[in-house]
Amino acid sequence: MADQSLLLNAVTYMGAAVVAVPLAKRLGLGSVLGYLIAGVIIGPWGLGLINNVEDILHFAEFGVVLLLFLIGLELNPKRLWAMRRPILGMGGMQVGLTILALFAIGRLAGLSTSSALIIAMGLSLSSTAIALQTLTEKNLLTTHAGNSAFSVLLFQDIAVIPMLAMIPFLGGSVAEQGDPIIGSLKVVAAIGGIVVLGHYLTRPIFRYIAKTGMREIFTAFTLLLVIGIALLMQMVELSMALGTFLAGVLLAESEYRHELEVEIEPFKGLLLGLFFISVGMSVDFGILFSSPVMIMALVAGLVAVKLLVLWIIASRCTDPVPISQRPIFAFLLCQGGEFAFVLFSAARGAGALEDRLADPLVVVVALSMVTTPLLMIIYERFIAPKYVEAGENREPDKVDESDNTVIIAGFGRFGRVVGRLLHANRIPTTILDHDPDHIERVREFGYKVYYGDATRVGVLHAAGADKARLLVLAIDDPEAALKVVDQVNKHFPGLKIVARARDLPHAFALKKRGIEVFQREALESGLRLGEETLQQLGFGAYHAKQAAHAFRDHDLELFHDLYEQGAYEKRISMQRQTKTELEKVLSADEEDIEHRRKQAWD
């Protein structure tokens, strides 16, 4: 019966999501609001199909854990250090000013110092899941507002740790927490273990797994790594999400980064969807119906206070957000966040927050999450057109360090030459290769080469194919190279391809797929050697070069003539038919040579 109940619940979640989310997106409401609506419909206050909301919410919070792991993968330590000013500046100002404003309001409302501070801390946090989902859907991550919002969210996620650490003191239950020195040692040991694991041990393990060629084991170890770190952080009473974020940062420079993103992404998407559904189910409409004016006033007050603080920060910070993007920045972060649920739950357990305060606050946070997609709709339909009419031009997007201009797929003897030339001219490049041993050798020379199969759409997307200007296709296997071309043409039509053609049939196949810029790998090197040969035979340098140019022009003209006549198909067919005969001829030649060698020896 338990198995049947589990399957029934799974069908209910997926059915609600399949119906509500596409409908919400079609109406312009966004996927997040669709998930929230689905949760309300199937929850205790809707059709009542699901009742164990608390259990589901705790499980679904793992979606946020995976989300922060993926965020960490985008931030190598150098980039994180480079972002320290917006993170500490804008993020610190937002959290600090919001806590001060909400704490003052709480005290004026008659709350105790500890209750007012806990509520202010919880409500100062924004929803990382909703904000990042919206940034991704609206393609705003590379804008000034998107970068600024990301910095604030990152500081908030880090700030959760000291907030959680303060709760036992505010609840007066410090004595029950055990020896603080031992607790601190556990925390240091846990973080040290994550650093050692992420920096030194995971790479050889991933390399060993990659050599097996078993993709499911790669996925299993990725999930094991994330879940294991989350459990380790939970054991020392720290934020699971921040622990996995730290692991992601440590793996950001790994050659397996893009493959990790691809393996985690589906699980993150499903669990985040489940999280939003569970938030919708957690809205206690009993409290809302009993005190609708108070609840809606609290929601409006929370959103208004955070909007005011965010607008001040956006206009007064060292690198102010352009006025046309300030509404986006403020709307993205003005809601309550998922970590407020965690904070209020911990405060309840420590006796620092009464149920009469915590219950309505959970409803307020959940309803405030609904305001973000609604505010974004208001911005797109009513605010953004005014900036366009006023001639307010959107400033150029800030190019992120990971948003490289060129992607090189395949870093063997051919791709390395192209990569060295680009590197010498300081052109940002993302390099993908699928040979673990080869990657290790190349990395010794200082190149950032990532492990990933470029024939997979997810790997291309993770490598930035939707933002890059050019893909250099230098994969040795012609069939794999053609598969990459097909994937790019289908999913990234704006990405230009320059390709290596292994031979003439490969060049014909590339041409057929619309690739205009390609180089037959043996042609230029052969011509160059032929030119040198002519000079060694007494030709002058000028005449040798002219002869090589004439041959190149003739070869190119012949190639186009054959292509236009459809001869490339005949040539490929003939090549396949004569392959066996050619092997027989070569075998016979080898036998004849061996026979003559024996006769000479005798």
Side-chain angles (χ1 to χ4, degrees):
M1 291 296 292
D3 292 340
Q4 185 178 2
S5 175
L6 178 64
L7 290 174
L8 184 61
N9 287 348
V11 169
T12 304
Y13 298 136
M14 289 186 285
V18 167
V19 173
V21 175
L23 184 61
K25 290 205 71 173
R26 190 179 183 89
L27 296 174
L29 303 179
S31 63
V32 173
L33 193 54
Y35 283 119
L36 293 171
I37 293 171
V40 171
I41 292 172
I42 66 175
W45 295 95
L47 300 177
L49 301 177
I50 306 291
N51 293 309
N52 55 335
V53 179
E54 285 291 325
D55 295 338
I56 300 301
L57 188 58
H58 288 313
F59 175 74
E61 283 173 5
F62 194 64
V64 183
V65 169
L66 293 176
L67 175 66
L68 280 177
F69 178 72
L70 290 176
I71 293 172
L73 285 175
E74 294 293 332
L75 292 172
N76 59 53
K78 291 181 181 177
R79 184 184 163 208
L80 195 60
W81 178 252
M83 292 177 63
R84 65 190 184 281
R85 289 184 179 177
I87 292 172
L88 296 175
M90 298 188 75
M93 287 175 63
Q94 186 275 328
V95 172
L97 291 177
T98 306
I99 288 176
L100 284 174
L102 294 175
F103 176 76
I105 293 171
R107 291 292 288 152
L108 290 173
L111 296 176
S112 66
T113 301
S114 60
S115 295
L117 183 56
I118 290 171
I119 292 171
M121 289 191 301
L123 296 181
S124 69
L125 304 173
S126 307
S127 174
T128 302
I130 288 179
L132 286 181
Q133 184 81 356
T134 305
L135 283 169
T136 303
E137 283 187 2
K138 308 295 183 183
N139 198 24
L140 296 171
L141 274 170
T142 56
T143 64
H144 198 313
N147 278 322
S148 301
F150 181 78
S151 298
V152 172
L153 290 169
L154 189 56
F155 182 87
Q156 290 180 0
D157 293 334
I158 296 171
V160 170
I161 291 180
M163 289 180 182
L164 288 170
M166 289 174 62
I167 286 177
F169 295 92
L170 296 172
S173 57
V174 181
E176 301 175 7
Q177 301 300 314
D179 190 341
I181 297 178
I182 295 177
S184 299
L185 289 175
K186 287 181 179 178
V187 171
V188 172
I191 294 176
I194 292 173
V195 172
V196 172
L197 178 68
H199 194 70
Y200 297 105
L201 300 181
T202 53
R203 189 171 293 169
I205 295 174
F206 276 123
R207 184 164 61 249
Y208 171 76
I209 294 173
K211 286 180 180 179
T212 67
M214 300 177 70
R215 198 173 299 280
E216 65 276 11
I217 303 300
F218 195 98
T219 305
F221 180 70
T222 303
L223 290 173
L224 174 64
L225 178 69
V226 177
I227 296 172
I229 291 173
L231 289 175
L232 177 64
M233 297 301 282
Q234 189 179 51
M235 288 170 60
V236 296
E237 299 180 349
L238 286 180
S239 167
M240 294 189 298
L242 201 74
T244 53
F245 169 76
L246 178 59
V249 170
L250 293 170
L251 288 168
E253 291 188 320
S254 165
E255 62 269 31
Y256 302 99
R257 167 189 150 196
H258 295 306
E259 196 78 5
L260 287 169
E261 289 180 354
V262 173
E263 301 300 341
I264 288 290
E265 186 69 33
F267 298 98
K268 184 268 293 182
L270 286 172
L271 288 173
L272 267 184
L274 182 59
F275 173 78
F276 293 133
I277 290 176
S278 60
V279 168
M281 292 190 297
S282 68
V283 177
D284 191 339
F285 284 90
I287 296 175
L288 178 61
F289 294 150
S290 64
S291 307
V293 176
M294 181 192 75
I295 295 296
M296 297 311 295
L298 288 173
V299 173
L302 171 63
V303 172
V305 169
K306 297 187 80 170
L307 281 174
L308 178 61
V309 170
L310 290 163
W311 192 274
I312 293 172
I313 293 170
S315 57
R316 300 293 181 184
C317 64
T318 307
D319 185 16
V321 179
I323 191 170
S324 62
Q325 297 186 34
R326 286 175 198 169
I328 301 174
F329 173 73
F331 289 168
L332 281 169
L333 302 174
C334 66
Q335 78 291 116
E338 51 272 356
F339 284 115
F341 299 131
V342 178
L343 209 67
F344 294 153
S345 176
R348 273 178 170 177
L353 193 64
E354 301 174 12
D355 288 347
R356 67 180 183 87
L357 295 175
D359 290 337
L361 285 173
V362 170
V363 178
V364 168
V365 171
L367 290 177
S368 72
M369 289 181 172
V370 180
T371 63
T372 298
L374 295 177
L375 288 171
M376 289 303 295
I377 292 172
I378 292 173
Y379 171 79
E380 291 174 349
R381 294 185 180 178
F382 302 105
I383 300 176
K386 291 184 179 180
Y387 287 114
V388 175
E389 291 172 6
E392 179 75 24
N393 294 323
R394 171 175 164 175
E395 69 164 11
D397 292 348
K398 284 191 173 182
V399 178
D400 189 272
E401 289 182 7
S402 62
D403 296 335
N404 288 330
T405 306
V406 179
I407 300 171
I408 299 179
F411 207 59
R413 52 192 173 86
F414 195 91
R416 271 202 306 274
V417 175
V418 180
R420 288 169 60 191
L421 179 60
L422 295 177
H423 184 71
N425 286 275
R426 298 182 180 179
I427 296 175
T429 306
T430 297
I431 301 169
L432 295 173
D433 200 276
H434 201 53
D435 185 339
D437 293 327
H438 178 61
I439 290 171
E440 285 302 307
R441 289 194 299 271
V442 173
R443 284 174 65 90
E444 292 176 0
F445 295 95
Y447 288 98
K448 290 186 177 180
V449 188
Y450 297 102
Y451 172 80
D453 184 357
T455 63
R456 300 180 66 193
V457 177
V459 171
L460 289 171
H461 190 276
D466 54 336
K467 304 180 186 71
R469 291 175 54 190
L470 200 66
L471 170 66
V472 178
L473 188 55
I475 296 175
D476 187 59
D477 182 0
E479 292 186 7
L482 294 176
K483 187 176 180 182
V484 174
V485 174
D486 293 337
Q487 298 284 33
V488 170
N489 287 340
K490 181 178 179 181
H491 299 281
F492 310 101
L495 179 60
K496 187 176 180 180
I497 299 176
V498 296
R500 158 210 193 175
R502 186 173 177 84
D503 49 29
L504 199 59
H506 189 199
F508 283 141
L510 289 170
K511 178 76 173 175
K512 184 179 181 182
R513 285 165 170 78
I515 306 303
E516 297 296 335
V517 182
F518 53 84
Q519 182 61 57
R520 283 149 57 195
E521 64 176 43
L523 179 63
E524 288 300 322
S525 57
L527 279 175
R528 181 62 184 158
L529 185 60
E531 183 181 331
E532 293 289 344
T533 302
L534 290 176
Q535 291 186 47
Q536 293 295 323
L537 293 173
F539 279 63
Y542 174 78
H543 289 94
K545 188 175 291 293
Q546 285 295 101
H549 280 311
F551 184 90
R552 183 186 293 106
D553 293 340
H554 173 74
D555 183 83
L556 185 61
E557 184 179 352
L558 179 62
F559 174 85
H560 286 298
D561 288 343
L562 289 172
Y563 180 81
E564 290 174 3
Q565 296 170 14
Y568 65 97
E569 293 179 350
K570 296 177 182 178
R571 187 182 182 94
I572 293 172
S573 177
M574 289 174 61
Q575 185 185 37
R576 290 173 179 170
Q577 291 175 4
T578 58
K579 183 179 178 181
T580 305
E581 296 177 11
L582 182 60
E583 290 176 352
K584 290 179 180 178
V585 170
L586 291 173
S587 177
D589 287 344
E590 289 176 1
E591 291 176 1
D592 184 53
I593 292 170
E594 185 66 23
H595 177 68
R596 292 182 182 180
R597 185 180 298 158
K598 287 181 178 180
Q599 285 183 334
W601 180 259
D602 293 338

